[in-house]
């Protein structure tokens, strides 16, 4: 028995998986493909050749051109491989890595995430997705009958329903102002919220970028307006984070929640929750397990067991993003937006349903093909050209939603435009 045990331990120590290696060594082994890829990304080059290199690191089904990142993002090949390696490490020695073996590495992911938003790591919880974050906020609020929540008409269902479920039965009222489809200024949007506020308003629930027509909402200006009256601001940041630069310290909102699988290109199933330090007193965990007495923001991510390789995969995705450069990604987003809009601006059959100003839109653009049903347009784009898009029919849009992620090239936009022009005939 003793000899068998010794043989087993020896096998563990020298096995191919290196199960008894230190977490730091495991991290190095798992991220080898990523570090190799980062070498190709760290460049001042902003040419189309550079972005084709980025494109080559994303793998899609044969014949597919993916303009639907706003629905669900893709994960670059190096991040996929790193996450698989983390999963193999966990399965090689489950108890070691599920409970404590990766503690320091998880904290590094928290710090990288905090740096992304220019906030403290003590304001970041690593959750599963935006929907969980919105439920966390809505379930925590100690609202009274007659209190009001402002949630405009373009809010995502998964951001609105938590307020309905957790608060409406208590007699709390949800106020739903109407947003303009094509505002000409930031102030026009701010004024919608200004007029909706009453003495009973307690929370403004607002998305950073609406999923319907790609409009950016002025979170900083609405937050300033709200805080003057003691109103909390909860932001659904699913569509904005990773698309353009976001400084949450400057924005000033109380809560901000993100699905990292969209524009951060992380593995599916991991999200980010931000709570301003002095607003954390309002929050209660959705799930209670051992360690619930923790007073730090980590109490909000205390699941006992979870898919930690996805969390480490988020860290790898942030390394990938940082190698490219946040400002370069921000600039590329707007470069593709302008390229697309300039190309179709003189075509009377292609009507943009997204605000023009850069302060009001970015990497999601919505276009109607006049005289054509949006479902027909979506189907023809896919069936005839292999282009995946999202049909948007609410609010009279009748338009396809197009996402310009960093793996999209100008040649692909040219192909898209040619397809839209053919369909419009």
């Amino acid at each position: 028995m003793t000899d068998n045990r010794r043989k087993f331990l020896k096998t563990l120590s020298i096995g191919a998986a290196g199960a008894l290696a230190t977490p730091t060594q495991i991290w190095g082994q798992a991220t080898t493909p990523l570090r190799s890829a980062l070498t190709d990304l760290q460049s001042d080059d902003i040419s189309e050749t550079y972005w084709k290199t980025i494109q080559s690191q994303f793998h899609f089904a044969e014949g597919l051109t993916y303009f639907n990142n706003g629905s669900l993002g893709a994960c670059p090949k190096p991040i996929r491989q790193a996450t698989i390696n983390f999963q193999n490490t966990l399965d090689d020695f489950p108890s070691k890595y599920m409970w404590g073996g990766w503690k320091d590495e998880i904290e590094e992911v928290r710090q990288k995430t905090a740096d992304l938003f220019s906030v403290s790591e003590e304001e970041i919880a690593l959750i599963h997705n935006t929907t969980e974050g919105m439920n966390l906020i809505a379930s925590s609020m100690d609202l009274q009958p007659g209190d009001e929540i402002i949630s405009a008409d373009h809010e995502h269902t998964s951001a609105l329903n938590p307020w309905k479920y957790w608060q409406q039965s208590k007699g709390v009222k949800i106020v739903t102002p109407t947003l303009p489809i094509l505002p000409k200024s930031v102030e026009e949007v701010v004024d919608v919220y200004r007029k909706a506020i009453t003495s009973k308003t307690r929370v403004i629930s607002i998305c950073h970028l609406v999923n319907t027509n790609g409009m950016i909402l002025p979170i900083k200006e609405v937050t300033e307006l709200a805080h003057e009256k003691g109103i909390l601001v909860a932001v659904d940041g699913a569509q904005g984070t990773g698309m353009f630069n976001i400084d949450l310290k400057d924005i000033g909102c109380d809560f901000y929640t993100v699905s990292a699988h969209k524009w951060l290109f992380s593995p599916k199933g991991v999200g980010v929750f931000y709570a301003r330090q002095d607003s954390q007193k309002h929050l209660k965990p959705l799930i209670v397990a051992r360690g619930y007495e923790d007073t730090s923001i980590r109490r909000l991510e205390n699941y006992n067991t979870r898919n930690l390789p996805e969390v480490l995969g988020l860290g790898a995705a942030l390394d990938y993003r940082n190698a490219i450069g946040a400002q370069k990604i921000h600039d590329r987003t707007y470069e593709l937006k302008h390229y697309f809009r300039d190309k179709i601006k003189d075509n009377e059959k292609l009507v943009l349903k997204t605000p023009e100003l850069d302060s009001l839109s970015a990497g999601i653009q919505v276009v109607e093909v006049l005289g054509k049903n949006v479902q027909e347009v979506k189907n023809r784009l896919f069936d005839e050209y292999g282009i995946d898009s999202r049909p948007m029919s609410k609010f009279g849009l009748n338009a396809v939603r197009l996402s310009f992620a960093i793996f999209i090239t100008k040649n692909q936009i040219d192909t898209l435009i040619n397809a839209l022009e053919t369909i419009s005939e």
Side-chain angles (χ1 to χ4, degrees):
M1 178 70 72
T2 301
D3 288 343
N4 288 340
R5 182 173 181 276
R6 287 173 179 165
K7 290 177 181 178
F8 169 70
L9 292 175
K10 184 177 181 181
T11 299
L12 281 180
S13 66
I14 64 174
L20 294 184
T22 67
T24 299
Q25 290 171 329
I26 293 294
W27 176 270
Q29 295 164 8
T31 57
T32 297
L34 172 64
R35 286 182 282 113
S36 176
L38 298 188
T39 302
D40 296 330
L41 303 183
Q42 294 168 327
S43 167
D44 293 330
D45 187 7
I46 58 172
S47 70
E48 203 63 14
T49 300
Y50 176 83
W51 295 108
K52 287 180 179 178
T53 299
I54 299 293
Q55 182 189 55
S56 71
Q57 294 178 346
F58 288 80
H59 181 269
F60 293 101
E62 185 176 355
L64 175 66
T65 304
Y66 197 66
F67 281 94
N68 199 10
N69 200 83
S71 291
L72 193 63
C75 197
K77 288 182 284 188
I79 310 307
R80 292 192 200 186
Q81 189 58 56
T83 305
I84 290 170
N85 291 346
F86 293 136
Q87 187 67 57
N88 289 338
T89 298
L90 174 62
D91 286 329
D92 284 345
F93 200 158
S95 62
K96 174 181 175 67
Y97 290 100
M98 181 58 70
W99 296 305
W102 275 328
K103 182 178 179 180
D104 291 342
E105 284 70 25
I106 296 300
E107 289 306 309
E108 288 179 13
V109 176
R110 191 186 316 280
Q111 183 62 65
K112 292 173 186 176
T113 307
D115 292 343
L116 171 70
F117 293 111
S118 301
V119 298
S120 165
E121 74 278 6
E122 296 303 320
E123 297 175 307
I124 295 293
L126 301 171
I127 60 171
H128 293 99
N129 53 36
T130 305
T131 303
E132 179 185 338
M134 294 307 299
N135 272 275
L136 198 162
I137 300 165
S139 65
S140 295
M141 295 296 105
D142 186 20
L143 303 182
Q144 304 303 314
D147 286 347
E148 295 178 354
I149 300 161
I150 295 175
S151 178
D153 60 341
H154 282 255
E155 293 298 312
H156 194 281
T157 303
S158 294
L160 174 61
N161 283 350
W163 294 109
K164 289 183 175 181
Y165 180 82
W166 295 104
Q167 297 295 339
Q168 269 191 334
S169 62
K170 295 161 53 176
V172 174
K173 180 181 178 182
I174 298 178
V175 177
T176 309
T178 300
L179 292 172
I181 295 293
L182 294 171
K184 299 298 184 184
S185 69
V186 167
E187 182 58 29
E188 185 179 347
V189 181
V190 175
D191 196 50
V192 171
Y193 288 90
R194 180 181 292 109
K195 291 176 179 177
I197 292 174
T198 72
S199 61
K200 297 180 180 180
T201 306
R202 300 292 177 262
V203 180
I204 295 177
S205 182
I206 181 173
C207 54
H208 201 160
L209 187 152
V210 304
N211 81 309
T212 50
N213 76 332
M215 174 168 50
I216 297 173
L217 300 184
I219 307 301
K220 180 177 180 179
E221 292 82 356
V222 170
T223 296
E224 291 172 350
L225 179 67
H227 284 179
E228 288 175 0
K229 301 179 181 297
I231 299 167
L232 295 171
V233 178
V235 182
D236 166 359
Q239 291 291 1
T241 301
M243 182 192 293
F244 47 77
N245 293 336
I246 297 172
D247 183 336
L248 289 181
K249 187 174 182 180
D250 178 63
I251 288 173
C253 60
D254 298 280
F255 314 113
Y256 195 100
T257 182
V258 175
S259 292
H261 59 243
K262 291 183 184 286
W263 299 88
L264 290 177
F265 311 115
S266 84
K268 314 302 179 280
V270 62
V272 175
F273 185 83
Y274 161 80
R276 204 172 71 171
Q277 193 81 51
D278 59 2
S279 299
Q280 292 180 22
K281 60 181 179 289
H282 297 288
L283 300 173
K284 302 172 186 176
L286 270 176
I287 297 174
V288 177
R290 183 176 61 182
Y292 74 92
E293 303 95 338
D294 187 350
T295 58
S296 79
I297 198 168
R298 293 160 188 80
R299 72 187 186 278
L300 305 179
E301 60 182 52
N302 185 13
Y303 309 108
N304 196 20
T305 58
R306 70 179 302 183
N307 195 335
L308 290 177
E310 293 173 348
V311 180
L312 297 181
L314 169 59
L318 292 173
D319 288 342
Y320 184 87
R321 171 184 170 80
N322 291 337
I324 299 171
Q327 190 61 46
K328 187 184 287 189
I329 292 172
H330 176 99
D331 293 344
R332 176 63 172 182
T333 298
Y334 282 100
E335 180 183 3
L336 294 179
K337 168 196 168 176
H338 295 149
Y339 184 83
F340 175 72
R341 292 184 69 105
D342 288 346
K343 285 273 189 173
I344 68 170
K345 65 182 180 182
D346 296 326
N347 189 325
E348 295 180 354
K349 293 184 179 180
L350 302 181
V351 180
L352 285 158
K353 296 288 187 75
T354 302
E356 180 179 1
L357 293 179
D358 284 351
S359 55
L360 291 173
S361 77
I364 289 180
Q365 298 291 306
V366 173
V367 62
E368 178 182 16
V369 180
L370 283 183
K372 304 290 183 180
N373 178 272
V374 64
Q375 191 62 51
E376 176 194 350
V377 175
K378 184 263 190 299
N379 291 344
R380 288 190 62 186
L381 281 173
F382 183 73
D383 294 341
E384 298 175 23
Y385 302 94
I387 293 172
D388 190 36
S389 61
R390 173 75 183 271
M392 306 304 295
S393 56
K394 290 183 66 176
F395 307 104
L397 291 173
N398 189 42
V400 285
R401 190 184 72 188
L402 304 164
S403 301
F404 301 133
I406 57 174
F407 52 75
I408 293 294
T409 65
K410 291 180 179 178
N411 284 342
Q412 288 177 317
I413 292 178
D414 290 340
T415 300
L416 167 68
I417 293 171
N418 288 336
L420 289 171
E421 289 176 342
T422 299
I423 293 170
S424 72
E425 295 174 354

